[in-house]
Each structure stands twice: as C-alpha cells, then as structure tokens.
Amino acid sequence: MNNSIIAPSVLNANFLNLKDEITAIEKGGAGLVHLDIMDGHFVPNISFGPGISALIGKATTLPLDCHLMISNPELFVEEFARIGSHYITVQAESTWHLDRILNRIRELGAKPAVSINPATPIENIQWILDLVDMVLVMSVNPGFGGQSLIPYCLDKIRKLREMKPNLDIEIDGGIKLDNILDAKKAGANIFVVGSAIFKTDSPETTCKKFVEKVR
C-alpha cells in the first residue's frame, strides 16, 4: 500500500481568499489538492470547471486530484488533462464506456481513477481495476460538503483492499479527526477532507493534525 495522503477539498475553502487557503494546506503537509467538479446534473450542485481548476493549478505546486462528478465526462477529460491534472477521476455511474474513458485519460498523460457512489457495488468496477491508478470510494452521497460518513462504505473499502492489495484507495465524505483512523484501518490511504479543514480557524494547523493522525 502507498503512503497515507491528505487531499483537502477546496470546495469548502473561502474562494475570496483561495490562494492563502491553498498556501495554508501546503504548509500543513497536504499531498494533493482535491477538486470537486460538479455540473448540477449528475449531482445536485454546481461548483467550477476547468478554468478555475487551471488557476488553482497555477497557485500551487501540489498535484491536482480532479474528481469529475459530471454527466458525459468523456467530453471534458482532455481539458482537465491539458491543465496538468495528476489524477482524473470519473464516476463509474456517469458513462456507458468506462473502459474507453479510462484508457483515454492515460493516453492524455494523466492517471486514470474511478469513483463509485455509496450504493454502487464494488463488483461493478472489478473488471477495470487493472486500468486505474486509484479508486475513490464515496462515503457520502456526492454533491454537498459537510455530510456525515456512511458507515457501510468502510466495508466496501475493506473488500476492495482484499481484491487489489496495492491499489491507491481514496475515501471522500465525512472524514473527521475522530474517524479518519477507521478509514485507514479499513484500507484507505488517500483521505479527502473538506469542511473539517477549511471551516476551522487555522486550516494549516488542522491539516497538520490530519497528516500526523495517519502518519
């Protein structure tokens, strides 16, 4: 298994002060910047697109972890590859041609990843696990920050870790200081944290606490 990584989600950051917020998580030891891309169609919320993502990429030396919670992701993977995304994650439920789009992401020079919603069985992606560098297990229903972790999603991570011992497994949703070790014990090694970092008085200090917790 790879090292544990904290990937703060800027969806919960103060966008009027975004550069400082990103600097804070860099100083706090974050390993990735997680970008939640939402279209108001696949999920019931709208966030931002490749333009803002490109600006975020210019504001940080951290790799970009782009999670496309959008319909028809095949229409946008080239744009997100062009801005230098490290991971491009597509929802398994968002496309009929998952094999094709994952191969295309790798052709474009990014690391392909797949995400599954809480109610989606692990078995739905078992045949494409050799095509991805990471699986993102959603532990809340996607669309909004600040939700509570759905406990059965940890069982999905345990099963996935058994299926693919060396895979990077990311968890996103409801991760707090008091449950992150449960997620790590289940088998996750990349942890998306949003409001639990950015809605505190010192995102830098809080990010350090998360990094130390999973070290």
Side-chain angles (χ1 to χ4, degrees), residues 137-149:
V137 176
M138 290 300 301
S139 46
V140 297
N141 291 298
F144 298 94
Q147 301 181 65
S148 297
L149 184 148

Side-chain angles (χ1 to χ4, degrees), residues 92-93 98 114-116 119-129 159 163:
E93 306 88 355
L98 189 55
V114 65
S115 178
I116 52 174
T120 300
I122 291 293
E123 288 77 9
N124 285 27
I125 59 169
Q126 63 179 322
W127 300 113
I128 53 84
L129 289 179
K159 186 172 184 178
M163 293 169 65

Side-chain angles (χ1 to χ4, degrees), residues 11-64:
L11 180 67
N12 300 97
N14 179 356
F15 269 65
L16 294 179
N17 198 27
L18 188 55
K19 179 63 170 68
D20 289 343
E21 299 268 85
I22 291 173
T23 298
I25 62 170
E26 288 178 336
K27 292 179 178 178
L32 295 167
V33 177
H34 188 82
L35 306 182
D36 291 299
I37 312 302
M38 306 186 210
D39 63 357
H41 184 262
F42 181 76
V43 294
N45 198 5
I46 296 174
S47 59
F48 50 87
I52 296 296
S53 300
L55 293 175
I56 292 172
K58 292 178 180 178
T60 182
T61 58
L62 293 175
L64 300 183

Side-chain angles (χ1 to χ4, degrees), residues 74-92:
E74 55 276 359
L75 301 178
F76 297 94
V77 292
E78 289 191 21
E79 289 187 70
F80 281 96
R82 193 178 302 119
I83 67 171
S85 300
H86 184 72
Y87 287 112
I88 298 179
T89 303
V90 296
Q91 288 283 152

Side-chain angles (χ1 to χ4, degrees), residues 146-191:
Q147 301 181 65
S148 297
L149 184 148
I150 299 172
Y152 68 70
C153 294
L154 298 182
D155 293 328
K156 295 172 67 176
I157 291 174
R158 292 185 187 96
K159 186 172 184 178
L160 182 59
R161 179 58 68 199
E162 291 175 359
M163 293 169 65
K164 199 76 173 177
N166 295 318
L167 184 69
D168 278 328
I169 301 176
E170 185 172 47
I171 182 170
D172 183 357
I175 295 298
K176 313 291 183 186
L177 282 169
D178 62 3
N179 65 16
I180 193 169
L181 289 182
D182 293 332
K184 181 177 180 179
K185 185 177 180 181
N189 68 295
I190 302 177
F191 310 89

Side-chain angles (χ1 to χ4, degrees), residues 90-128:
V90 296
Q91 288 283 152
E93 306 88 355
S94 69
T95 178
W96 291 107
H97 302 290
L98 189 55
D99 181 290
R100 179 187 297 166
I101 193 171
L102 293 172
N103 279 295
R104 180 57 179 152
I105 290 169
R106 195 174 297 282
E107 289 172 1
L108 291 167
K111 292 189 174 185
V114 65
S115 178
I116 52 174
N117 284 336
T120 300
I122 291 293
E123 288 77 9
N124 285 27
I125 59 169
Q126 63 179 322
W127 300 113
I128 53 84

